[in-house]
């Protein structure tokens, strides 16, 4: 087992029952113009040669660690600076920001309780994601472009073990029984986070705890290469993002109004087909993969980030800690595909499981071309119900005036 594996349990499922992450989608209506959204997504994914599901569990996913108690401002401050030398304000910790000599700091942020590793690879090409959890207080401290090592005076990037967070491009705080999303500020100004769309890094993350219960009882999250960005907004176009997202990715985007926007969601169909358009023999999959597919039918999945393809997220294999009795683990992972899956090693139950999940999950394409028609394994469904206090009425004029996309993505 990895020496970074967490020794504490997270509550499952995370976040409030009325949050987006726990809203069932089985009976939610399919969106108008579903076929146009499917066509746009299929063409984009096929163009990137990633027209299938895959599961991030190594670099470019989310490691979770225990935090020390919160210090006072004098005893700990972390500079807000990303790997590229830019700095932006915090959305949730504005009251703890300091500016000195042209630099921005967040004070009173807890440090890790032990050695941590921001998400890799070991370079400034990493996302540098990191989550510190205070279980007693039910809070998470979430980082993007976290630094634990310097090369002379500049960040070495993500992927390096370290005892302290020295710098970070973003630092935000969430509560584990809250919305896992940000309350809008003003009329429709963006609210940032360590995730490109402003949501919690723990939201929709596949966890070991999900396989220690009867079913996965929350939505998943995923990334695609290009999110919708049609700014400036016109009356005839849709907005760039919806609840639970509070901003969007703009470093690489799709200007089509039929592209999928941040915070929008999809639902897996009951009957599936493989990459060749043939019926998919789901009964041959492991019980673990079938639980994941069931969750995508019951709770769906939200678009939360930009990435290289149609990628979903599981906790980093280094920090995830699954400890089932061997007979239960065997029942969970038994599959006719185990021998053909290239599982590199079994460093831990969690490491083995996420490799198996990824191998089987990749047999599910987003859509295929069959007899000249695009047929999809997913439907685009209506947006999540916005909880009280999160619903902000944004006019087109207000969006064009107030949305500032200079923040990191």
């Amino acid at each position: 087992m990895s020496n970074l594996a967490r020794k504490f349990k997270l509550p499952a499922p995370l976040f409030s029952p009325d949050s987006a992450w726990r809203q069932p989608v089985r009976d939610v209506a399919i969106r108008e113009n579903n076929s146009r959204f499917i066509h746009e997504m299929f063409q984009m994914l096929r163009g990137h040669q990633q027209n299938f599901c895959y599961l991030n569990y190594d670099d470019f996913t989310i490691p979770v660690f225990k935090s020390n108690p919160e210090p006072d401002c004098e005893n700990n401050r972390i500079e807000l600076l990303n790997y590229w030398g830019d700095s932006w304000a915090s959305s949730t910790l504005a009251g703890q920001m300091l500016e000195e000599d042209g630099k921005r700091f967040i004070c009173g942020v807890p440090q890790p309780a032990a050695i941590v590793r921001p998400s890799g690879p070991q370079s400034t090409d990493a996302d540098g994601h990191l989550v510190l959890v205070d279980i007693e207080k039910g809070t998470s401290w979430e980082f993007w472009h976290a630094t634990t090592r310097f090369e002379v005076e500049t960040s070495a990037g993500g992927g390096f073990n370290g005892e302290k967070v020295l710098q970070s491009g973003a630092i935000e705080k969430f509560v584990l029984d809250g919305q896992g999303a940000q309350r809008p500020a003003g009329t429709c100004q963006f609210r940032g986070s360590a995730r490109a769309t402003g949501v919690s890094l723990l939201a929709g993350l596949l966890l070991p705890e999900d396989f220690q219960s009867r079913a996965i009882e929350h939505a998943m999250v995923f990334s695609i290469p290009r999110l919708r960005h049609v700014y400036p907004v016109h009356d005839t176009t849709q907005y760039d993002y919806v609840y639970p997202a509070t901003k969007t990715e703009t470093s690489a985007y799709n200007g089509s109004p039929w592209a999928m926007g941040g915070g929008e969601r999809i639902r897996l169909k009951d009957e599936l087909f493989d990459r060749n358009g043939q019926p998919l023999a789901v009964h041959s999959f492991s019980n673990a993969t079938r639980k994941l597919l069931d969750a995508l039918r019951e709770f769906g999945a939200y678009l939360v980030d930009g990435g290289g393809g149609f990628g979903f997220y599981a906790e980093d294999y280094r920090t995830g800690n699954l400890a089932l009795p061997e007979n239960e683990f065997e029942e969970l992972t038994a599959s006719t595909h185990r021998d053909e899956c290239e599982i590199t090693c079994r460093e831990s139950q969690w490491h083995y499981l996420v490799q198996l999940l990824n191998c089987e999950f990749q047999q599910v394409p987003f859509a295929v071309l069959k007899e000249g028609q695009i047929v999809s394994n997913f439907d685009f469904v209506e947006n999540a119900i916005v909880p009280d206090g999160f619903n902000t009425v944004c006019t087109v004029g207000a969006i064009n005036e107030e949305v500032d996309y200079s923040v990191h993505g």
Side-chain angles (χ1 to χ4, degrees):
M1 179 179 293
S2 167
N3 60 0
L4 299 176
R6 58 183 171 91
K7 305 300 191 295
F8 62 92
K9 296 293 184 184
L10 286 167
L14 290 166
F15 304 117
S16 171
D18 68 341
S19 70
W21 320 109
R22 296 178 60 185
Q23 293 181 23
V25 299
R26 172 68 79 172
D27 298 323
V28 171
I30 295 173
R31 288 184 64 176
E32 186 179 358
N33 297 308
N34 179 51
S35 61
R36 296 192 70 169
F37 285 104
I38 289 171
H39 179 272
E40 187 71 39
M41 179 87 88
F42 173 68
Q43 296 293 2
M44 180 188 62
L45 292 175
R46 190 167 64 164
H48 285 80
Q49 299 181 329
Q50 288 283 355
N51 179 37
F52 54 86
C53 302
Y54 70 90
L55 189 66
N56 291 295
Y57 61 85
D58 191 349
D59 290 329
F60 299 108
T61 192
I62 314 301
V64 183
F65 301 92
K66 184 178 181 179
S67 73
N68 272 328
E70 297 177 34
D72 58 39
C73 279
E74 292 301 318
N75 288 327
N76 193 60
R77 60 175 63 181
I78 300 175
E79 184 179 4
L80 281 175
L81 195 69
N82 67 22
Y83 298 160
W84 312 316
D86 298 321
S87 175
W88 294 288
S90 172
S91 292
T92 58
L93 300 171
Q96 295 174 225
M97 284 186 56
L98 301 173
E99 297 202 22
E100 296 179 358
D101 301 324
K103 297 180 178 181
R104 281 178 169 162
F105 299 87
I106 298 288
C107 68
V109 177
Q111 285 287 349
I115 298 293
V116 296
R117 178 188 183 272
S119 65
Q122 292 184 339
S123 74
T124 54
D125 292 328
D127 288 329
H129 282 138
L130 176 70
V131 175
L132 299 180
V133 174
D134 185 328
I135 284 294
E136 288 71 25
K137 293 186 176 180
T139 57
S140 65
W141 302 80
E142 305 186 0
F143 302 77
W144 168 76
H145 274 200
T147 299
T148 59
R149 180 187 294 188
F150 286 122
E151 291 180 351
V152 189
E153 295 182 355
T154 60
S155 171
F160 295 99
N161 290 6
E163 296 179 351
K164 295 185 66 176
V165 178
L166 306 174
Q167 285 179 342
S168 188
I171 307 173
E172 303 290 347
K173 182 179 181 180
F174 288 88
V175 292
L176 302 183
D177 61 355
Q179 291 292 327
Q182 303 241 31
R183 199 175 296 272
T187 51
C188 55
Q189 292 173 329
F190 74 85
R191 296 276 280 173
S193 77
R195 184 65 98 180
T197 52
V199 302
S200 168
L201 292 177
L202 292 176
L205 185 66
L206 193 63
L207 299 167
E209 286 82 354
D210 290 322
F211 296 95
Q212 295 170 319
S213 56
R214 181 186 59 82
I216 301 170
E217 297 181 318
H218 64 83
M220 301 293 115
V221 292
F222 68 98
S223 61
I224 58 175
R226 298 179 184 273
L227 284 67
R228 185 176 70 242
H229 177 39
V230 291
Y231 176 83
V233 176
H234 304 286
D235 288 304
T236 55
T237 63
Q238 301 180 58
Y239 299 155
D240 280 352
Y241 55 85
V242 298
Y243 170 84
T246 52
K247 61 182 292 291
T248 191
E249 171 75 82
T250 58
S251 58
Y253 58 88
N254 188 335
S256 168
W258 306 112
M260 192 173 189
E264 294 179 346
R265 59 185 177 175
I266 56 177
R267 177 181 64 212
L268 189 70
K269 293 181 177 179
D270 289 328
E271 300 298 324
L272 305 179
F273 49 81
D274 62 21
R275 296 197 205 184
N276 297 316
Q278 299 303 310
L280 189 60
V282 177
H283 64 273
S284 68
F285 286 165
S286 65
N287 285 331
T289 299
R290 281 184 277 177
K291 287 181 73 169
L292 173 57
L293 298 179
D294 285 344
L296 289 170
R297 295 185 181 101
E298 294 297 327
F299 294 94
Y302 291 85
L303 177 57
V304 297
D305 216 333
F310 191 33
F312 293 72
Y313 292 85
E315 182 181 356
D316 192 317
Y317 80 85
R318 299 166 186 83
T319 65
N321 189 355
L322 182 65
L324 293 175
E326 277 302 313
N327 64 317
E328 293 183 21
F329 185 71
E330 176 62 26
E331 182 180 353
L332 186 66
T333 59
S335 165
T336 60
H337 301 284
R338 282 200 302 195
D339 291 339
E340 61 196 62
C341 291
E342 295 181 6
I343 298 178
T344 56
C345 65
R346 180 173 165 173
E347 183 172 322
S348 67
Q349 284 190 356
W350 183 241
H351 191 195
Y352 183 96
L353 177 61
V354 290
Q355 289 178 87
L356 177 63
L357 283 169
N358 184 47
C359 174
E360 296 184 324
F361 203 27
Q362 288 188 22
Q363 297 186 42
V364 182
F366 172 76
V368 297
L369 196 61
K370 190 172 182 179
E371 298 178 354
Q373 299 293 319
I374 298 173
V375 289
S376 176
N377 279 321
F378 292 86
D379 283 318
F380 288 74
V381 296
E382 292 294 332
N383 299 329
I385 298 170
V386 184
D388 291 342
F390 275 74
N391 195 2
T392 299
V393 177
C394 295
T395 65
V396 171
I399 288 176
N400 290 334
E401 289 175 5
E402 296 191 23
V403 176
D404 177 4
Y405 289 107
S406 62
V407 74
H408 72 265

